[in-house]
Amino acid sequence: WNETSLWMDFLLRQLLHVLLAADVCDEAARLQTEELAEAVMTRSRIRTDEDCGLMGQAHSIIDLGVALLRKCCGLGQGQAGRQRQALEAYCSTRVVFLLS
């Protein structure tokens, strides 16, 4: 990791944290956020244990992308029962396909 890539990593992480905290209520904005989450998961490299020690971060960019995709799928808003199970299955399947 060089200084430029560390800076770009920091900026992307900050953007993802802001999006996780924001309320994405417009359908067009939700779709764009979902596309960003997918791009983050498909284009980011998977961190090694060495990277974790170097950067001192608990969550990787891919972790934040998964959290953002879950938010876009409607998870985390207090559903219960079968609807939540169906959303969990749908989101988990998408994550597996994106990361494989």
Side-chain angles (χ1 to χ4, degrees):
W1 289 82
N2 60 29
E3 191 172 323
T4 303
S5 64
L6 287 173
W7 177 247
M8 297 302 282
D9 183 76
F10 171 78
L11 291 176
L12 179 57
R13 291 174 60 77
Q14 295 306 305
L15 172 67
L16 293 174
H17 279 288
V18 167
L19 287 172
L20 283 168
D23 183 17
V24 183
C25 57
D26 178 60
E27 183 64 16
R30 189 197 65 76
L31 288 173
Q32 289 176 336
T33 304
E34 190 173 341
E35 288 175 7
L36 176 64
E38 290 177 356
V40 163
M41 286 188 284
T42 57
R43 296 183 183 150
S44 296
R45 72 184 190 102
I46 297 176
R47 271 190 344 190
T48 64
D49 290 337
E50 182 181 311
D51 294 336
C52 293
L54 173 69
M55 298 170 67
Q57 298 163 346
H59 303 291
S60 71
I61 290 177
I62 293 177
D63 294 333
L64 295 172
V66 170
L68 192 58
L69 184 64
R70 288 176 56 83
K71 180 178 180 173
C72 290
C73 288
L75 291 165
Q77 298 171 344
Q79 302 95 333
R82 293 182 184 182
Q83 181 184 11
R84 182 171 180 90
Q85 286 179 333
L87 286 173
E88 288 279 359
Y90 171 74
C91 188
S92 296
T93 302
R94 285 186 63 195
V95 169
V96 168
F97 283 130
L98 289 168
L99 293 178
S100 60

